Amino acid sequence: GLLAPILPEEMGKLTYQDLSFKLNFPTKAGTFSLWGIGAYDFQGNDAVSDSTKWEKSDDREEFKTKLTMAAVGLNYKKIVGNSTYLQTTLALTENSLDWSEKRFDNNLQLLPIREVTDYRWKYTFTGFVNHKLGAKHTNRTGFILDRMMYDIQIKNADVNENMLQTYVSEKNGSNLLRFYSQSKITPANNLAFNVGVHVQYFILNKKYTIEPRLGIRWN
């Protein structure tokens, strides 16, 4: 925003805004947290309506680009005893691209020549239990469930045509399931082992993977 006045004219108009927040609600049943983050960006350029001022092909073209990103979620954390706590999260995330382009024809009619919209969003539910088995061993076991969605539209006007033709129009989604268990073991003050297993299953192609995990840290 501060640099916009000194950027080249072809950069067009630039605007953006963002917001983030987090609210905590401690209760006897546990702590609830409501959080969110969002951003909106716009870049655009107006076409020159006076044909006598056209010096290059871009002068007769108009474009607008909008980008959004957002995430909002609700966390719940509960301490159980002296060595265990559990946490769950329900969240919605999204990102989108909306791009359009128009062009003056020889009759000074501003006609659309290209439109692209790409919306993607995801519902996520996660949960885990963190348990301290002893002074040198902590385990975390949990799951992540994702519902991934998309809506994509691509339209383009062929050469010498005034109508947009749809090349892509698709809206669908699928689920990704993940489960994991991991332990941190510290046999000495300067040595730590992270060991576990991660399993995921993608419903779209009915494929699954089982991945062992091992990490060693020595200070």
Side-chain angles (χ1 to χ4, degrees):
L2 296 175
L3 293 176
I6 63 173
L7 292 175
E9 291 185 2
E10 55 266 24
M11 292 295 293
K13 303 174 183 176
L14 296 171
T15 60
Y16 73 92
Q17 53 191 324
D18 56 73
L19 169 71
S20 62
F21 67 90
K22 184 176 182 181
L23 305 172
N24 291 317
F25 304 96
T27 69
K28 293 182 179 180
T31 300
F32 295 86
S33 300
L34 179 65
W35 53 268
I37 184 171
Y40 171 81
D41 296 318
F42 172 83
Q43 182 180 5
N45 190 36
D46 294 329
V48 179
S49 57
D50 187 350
S51 60
T52 62
K53 297 181 180 180
W54 292 349
E55 298 179 357
K56 52 186 184 297
S57 61
D58 291 346
D59 292 338
R60 61 198 296 176
E61 294 182 357
E62 169 190 288
F63 76 89
K64 294 181 180 178
T65 305
K66 300 176 184 177
L67 297 170
T68 67
M69 182 279 293
V72 62
L74 179 66
N75 290 1
Y76 171 71
K77 184 177 181 179
K78 172 69 173 178
I79 297 176
V80 182
N82 297 322
S83 58
T84 305
Y85 73 90
L86 60 89
Q87 181 171 309
T88 60
T89 301
L90 181 62
L92 168 64
T93 58
E94 76 86 27
N95 61 79
S96 70
L97 163 68
D98 191 336
W99 180 52
S100 64
E101 189 175 351
K102 297 181 180 180
R103 181 183 177 90
F104 276 117
D105 64 6
N106 293 330
N107 297 320
L108 293 182
Q109 288 185 298
L110 192 60
L111 302 175
I113 58 174
R114 197 168 292 111
E115 290 182 1
V116 177
T117 57
D118 187 344
Y119 299 102
R120 302 174 190 231
W121 65 99
K122 180 173 65 175
Y123 305 97
T124 301
F125 179 53
T126 70
F128 68 82
V129 176
N130 196 91
H131 181 63
K132 192 171 184 179
L133 298 169
K136 298 182 178 181
H137 184 188
T138 300
N139 176 268
R140 176 176 293 186
T141 300
F143 66 90
I144 305 171
L145 308 179
D146 287 326
R147 174 62 179 173
M148 300 176 291
M149 308 292 295
Y150 67 90
D151 185 353
I152 301 175
Q153 306 284 330
I154 300 178
K155 300 179 181 180
N156 194 72
D158 293 334
V159 179
N160 300 323
E161 295 216 7
N162 297 328
M163 298 293 294
L164 290 174
Q165 303 293 326
T166 300
Y167 286 86
V168 176
S169 179
E170 183 69 21
K171 181 178 181 180
N172 216 321
S174 190
N175 299 319
L176 177 65
L177 315 179
R178 287 172 284 175
F179 303 91
Y180 64 91
S181 182
Q182 60 191 43
S183 288
K184 182 178 181 180
I185 302 170
T186 53
N189 291 334
N190 63 343
L191 183 64
F193 294 92
N194 289 289
V195 60
V197 63
H198 184 278
V199 180
Q200 70 177 16
Y201 178 69
F202 192 27
I203 290 180
L204 180 65
N205 58 7
K206 296 180 173 58
K207 299 293 184 179
Y208 69 90
T209 60
I210 301 176
E211 302 173 359
R213 305 288 175 88
L214 175 63
I216 302 173
R217 186 178 66 192
W218 177 64
N219 293 325

